[in-house]
């Protein structure tokens, strides 16, 4: 067939059909508008095929086995090692073998159109798509264009690295076999999780972090994770820089490391190298330069959005800002907005943004919406939950003590090891730690952190308490069931003085 140039018009154009883009499109369609998703890869995006889902599928069997090995009566009934082939097969199931048929069917059932291809903005409310079918699509949006393009890995400036075929998180989570030796560069969430996953699958793992491990969490919590990694045989090299990476004649890799000691230069040889040193918003190739946006100082381009996801600083928006009657049309959500790189938070943003677009189209919303309304992403400033699915787990929501002080709060905190009847029954030698961050002026929670086996299930209670601004005196009446690990809530409040 001869390629064609096809002109189409929709109420809303969404570039990026990951979980965030899907939720924006779904919300605007539910609001009575038409929507099209533009996607060059798999519908469902990074989380479904290369991040959240496959990484947790790799982690869960090891956590389950370790849990059984931690309880007398169960440990005698289980083997000591995982069946790596079975784990990888289960991972393949959860990624649908990297086929997006079910996701495409969901779009069709929801009334959302899909164009497979690369899209970019050419003018206000105008998107051109180089279709994978060979056609060119010229699209016009009556109301909004939404960027839901996710994020891309940030490559560190390590000598020799740019010339090598090493693993990123995509290659690690989709690996077909377990390497004998794995070097992980990066001590963030993905690097830490995957280091433990592969160690439990049989790899000899070395993790190298330029500073500490999981630096956004309190030190008492990350110490437990570091101990868990070391117990699994991971060589954890903290405060250590990777000076260079070289490929050897036999296809292996040699890393030259430098720690803080004067004579601290060492080498590590590995069969695979995983680089996991952070991500940044995937905004290249979207035509934002044509709207006047520019990256500064050699750094990746960043956007600023308001509480509805509306991009700020559009040079070609006539008149006044949105709060004074301006003309909104460009939005960014999820990782593309650059605020919180979590799928669940991106989906939250997407729902608020989709509802705001539909409301503005119908004249039901003008100006900036009220905080905590259905159109505002207020939780981004107060209550972003985050779970690190290592063993032990880390779970946190809201502000740390340091963040609360920086934001001007009169803050205090209370900390305890998790030592309750529920933790003792959970497993032998249970080790955990918990912290509450308190606004002393209002006597409400600003944040909470938990570390220990299965503490991720404690987090939503903390999220509700932070979002609901529940007074501590009232929170004390939320009696935890006995004997559960949640009893730590009572112990924390008692230590606070209630």
């Amino acid at each position: 067939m001869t390629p064609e140039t096809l002109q189409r018009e929709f109420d809303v154009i969404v570039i990026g059909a990951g979980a965030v883009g899907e939720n924006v499109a779904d919300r605007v369609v539910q609001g009575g508008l038409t929507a099209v998703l533009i996607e060059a890869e798999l519908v469902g995006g990074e989380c479904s095929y290369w991040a959240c889902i496959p990484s947790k599928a790799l982690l869960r069997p090891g956590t389950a086995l370790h849990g059984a090995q931690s309880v007398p009566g169960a440990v005698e009934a289980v083997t000591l090692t995982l069946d790596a082939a079975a784990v990888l097969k289960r991972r393949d199931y959860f990624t649908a073998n990297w086929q997006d048929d079910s996701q495409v069917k969901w779009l069709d059932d929801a009334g959302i159109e899909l164009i497979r291809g690369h899209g970019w903005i050419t003018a206000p409310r105008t998107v051109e798509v180089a279709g994978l079918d060979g056609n060119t699509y010229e699209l016009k949006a009556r109301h909004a264009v939404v960027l839901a393009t996710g994020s891309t890995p940030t490559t560190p400036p390590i000598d020799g690295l740019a010339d090598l075929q090493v693993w990123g998180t995509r290659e690690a989570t989709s690996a077909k076999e377990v390497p004998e030796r794995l070097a992980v560069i990066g001590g963030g969430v993905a690097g830490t999780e995957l280091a433990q996953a592969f160690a439990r699958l049989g790899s000899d793992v070395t993790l190298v972090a330029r500073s500490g491990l999981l630096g956004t969490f309190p030190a008492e919590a990350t110490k437990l994770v570091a101990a868990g990694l070391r117990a699994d045989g991971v060589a954890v090299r903290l405060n250590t820089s990777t000076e260079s990476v070289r490929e050897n004649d036999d296809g292996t890799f040699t890393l030259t490391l430098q720690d803080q000691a004067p004579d601290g230069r060492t080498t590590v040889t590995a069969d695979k190298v995983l680089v996991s040193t952070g991500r940044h918003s995937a905004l290249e190739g979207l035509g934002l330069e044509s709207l006047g946006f520019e990256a500064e100082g050699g750094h990746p381009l960043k956007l600023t959005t308001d509480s509805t996801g509306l991009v700020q600083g559009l040079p070609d928006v006539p008149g006044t800002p949105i709060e004074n009657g301006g003309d909104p049309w460009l939005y960014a959500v999820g990782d593309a907005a650059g605020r919180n790189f979590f799928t669940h938070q991106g989906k939250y943003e997407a729902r608020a943004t989709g509802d705001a677009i539909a409301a503005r189209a119908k004249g039901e919303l003008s100006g900036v919406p009220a905080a905590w309304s259905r159109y505002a992403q207020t939780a981004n400033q107060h209550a972003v939950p985050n779970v690190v699915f290592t063993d032990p787990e880390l779970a946190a929501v809201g502000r740390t003590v340091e963040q609360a002080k920086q934001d001007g709060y009169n803050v205090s905190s209370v900390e305890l090891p998790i030592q309750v009847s529920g933790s003792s029954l959970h497993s032998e030698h249970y080790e955990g730690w918990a912290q509450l961050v308190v606004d002393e002026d209002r006597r409400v929670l600003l944040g909470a952190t938990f570390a220990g086996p299965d503490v991720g299930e404690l987090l939503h209670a903390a999220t509700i308490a932070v979002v609901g601004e529940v007074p501590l005196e009232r929170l004390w009446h939320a009696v935890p069931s006995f004997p559960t690990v949640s009893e730590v809530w009572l112990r924390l409040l008692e230590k606070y003085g209630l």
Side-chain angles (χ1 to χ4, degrees):
M1 296 178 61
T2 303
E4 299 181 74
T5 298
L6 306 174
Q7 296 181 335
R8 304 283 303 280
E9 189 172 49
F10 298 89
D11 290 322
V12 179
I13 300 169
V14 182
I15 304 178
V20 175
E22 288 177 321
N23 272 267
V24 173
D26 189 39
R27 283 292 174 132
V28 298
V29 168
Q30 289 183 38
L33 305 181
T34 61
V36 61
L37 282 166
I38 313 302
E39 178 57 60
E41 295 189 291
L42 296 177
V43 175
E46 203 76 17
C47 180
S48 297
Y49 304 102
W50 299 288
C52 324
I53 298 301
S55 66
K56 305 316 170 279
L58 292 173
L59 283 160
R60 178 57 191 162
T63 302
L65 177 60
H66 184 251
Q69 292 171 337
S70 302
V71 181
V75 63
E76 293 82 2
V78 300
T79 62
L80 297 178
T81 58
L82 292 171
D83 183 329
V87 173
L88 296 180
K89 182 177 179 180
R90 183 173 184 264
R91 182 276 319 271
D92 294 348
Y93 167 79
F94 276 102
T95 60
N97 288 294
W98 292 274
Q99 301 294 317
D100 62 1
D101 297 7
S102 63
Q103 299 270 23
V104 173
K105 183 179 185 304
W106 178 85
L107 292 183
D108 188 55
D109 292 343
I112 302 166
E113 191 158 338
L114 170 67
I115 297 177
R116 292 189 185 271
H118 298 270
W120 63 94
I121 298 168
T122 57
R125 291 189 173 86
T126 305
V127 172
E128 184 172 322
V129 181
L132 298 185
D133 59 4
N135 294 323
T136 298
Y137 296 83
E138 295 179 352
L139 309 180
K140 292 288 292 185
R142 299 183 190 94
H143 297 291
V145 174
V146 184
L147 304 179
T149 48
S151 59
T152 191
T154 300
T155 302
I158 296 173
D159 183 37
L161 185 61
D163 300 324
L164 302 178
Q165 293 294 318
V166 297
W167 277 3
T169 51
R170 276 194 173 198
E171 290 77 16
T173 57
S174 60
K176 299 303 181 184
E177 58 185 23
V178 177
E180 182 177 345
R181 297 166 299 180
L182 174 65
V184 179
I185 301 175
V189 174
T192 304
E193 288 183 346
L194 290 169
Q196 187 167 48
F198 278 94
R200 288 181 165 181
L201 287 168
S203 289
D204 181 0
V205 179
T206 299
L207 184 148
V208 184
R210 186 174 56 182
S211 53
L213 195 72
L214 300 165
T216 61
F217 289 86
E220 289 297 322
T222 61
K223 286 178 184 177
L224 294 177
V225 176
L229 291 175
R230 291 187 172 110
D232 287 323
V234 178
V236 180
R237 301 286 302 272
L238 303 180
N239 302 305
T240 301
S241 61
T242 304
E243 290 189 348
S244 66
V245 182
R246 297 283 185 267
E247 186 172 3
N248 304 313
D249 293 340
D250 60 358
T252 63
F253 299 89
T254 296
L255 287 69
T256 301
L257 310 179
Q258 175 68 55
D259 63 24
Q260 293 180 344
D263 56 348
R265 182 176 282 103
T266 56
T267 60
V268 171
T269 300
D271 300 287
K272 295 291 183 182
V273 176
L274 165 59
V275 179
S276 179
T277 52
R279 303 179 69 86
H280 60 272
S281 301
L283 299 175
E284 293 184 1
L286 296 179
L288 291 170
E289 298 82 2
S290 69
L291 301 177
F293 292 102
E294 294 182 2
E296 296 181 359
H299 297 290
L301 177 63
K302 291 184 178 181
L303 297 176
T304 301
T305 58
D306 73 0
S307 65
T308 68
L310 184 68
V311 174
Q312 304 295 281
L314 265 178
D316 54 17
V317 173
T320 54
I322 179 65
E323 59 267 25
N324 297 321
D327 184 20
W329 68 271
L330 181 62
Y331 295 77
V333 289
D335 289 8
R339 290 190 176 187
N340 301 290
F341 288 67
F342 303 114
T343 297
H344 50 270
Q345 208 68 18
K347 291 164 71 173
Y348 159 77
E349 295 173 11
R351 292 188 285 267
T353 293
D355 285 348
I357 291 169
R360 283 175 174 146
K362 292 182 283 189
E364 297 172 357
L365 173 65
S366 60
V368 177
W372 300 114
S373 71
R374 65 179 296 179
Y375 309 122
Q377 304 166 9
T378 313
N380 279 346
Q381 284 73 50
H382 301 283
V384 177
N386 177 22
V387 177
V388 183
F389 289 89
T390 47
D391 183 13
E393 289 179 346
L394 293 187
V397 66
R399 292 172 171 86
T400 64
V401 172
E402 293 75 15
Q403 289 168 341
K405 289 179 178 178
Q406 290 173 4
D407 291 341
Y409 287 96
N410 177 23
V411 64
S412 70
S413 67
V414 56
E415 300 89 13
L416 278 175
I418 299 178
Q419 294 175 347
V420 294
S421 295
S423 61
S424 298
L425 288 165
H426 181 282
S427 56
E428 292 286 282
H429 311 299
Y430 187 107
E431 287 192 75
W433 182 82
Q435 179 190 58
L436 299 181
V437 180
V438 179
D439 176 356
E440 286 294 334
D441 293 335
R442 295 181 298 152
R443 301 268 287 186
V444 299
L445 289 187
L446 293 172
T449 299
F450 304 97
D454 294 326
V455 295
E457 299 304 328
L458 299 177
L459 188 61
H460 197 54
T463 304
I464 292 169
V466 174
V467 169
E469 299 180 333
V470 181
L472 294 184
E473 287 77 9
R474 177 62 64 88
L475 191 60
W476 185 83
H477 291 278
V479 181
S481 180
F482 181 87
T484 66
V485 181
S486 292
E487 193 180 4
V488 71
W489 277 94
L490 173 60
R491 302 305 170 210
L492 286 163
L493 292 173
E494 285 180 332
K495 183 177 180 182
Y496 181 76
L498 296 175

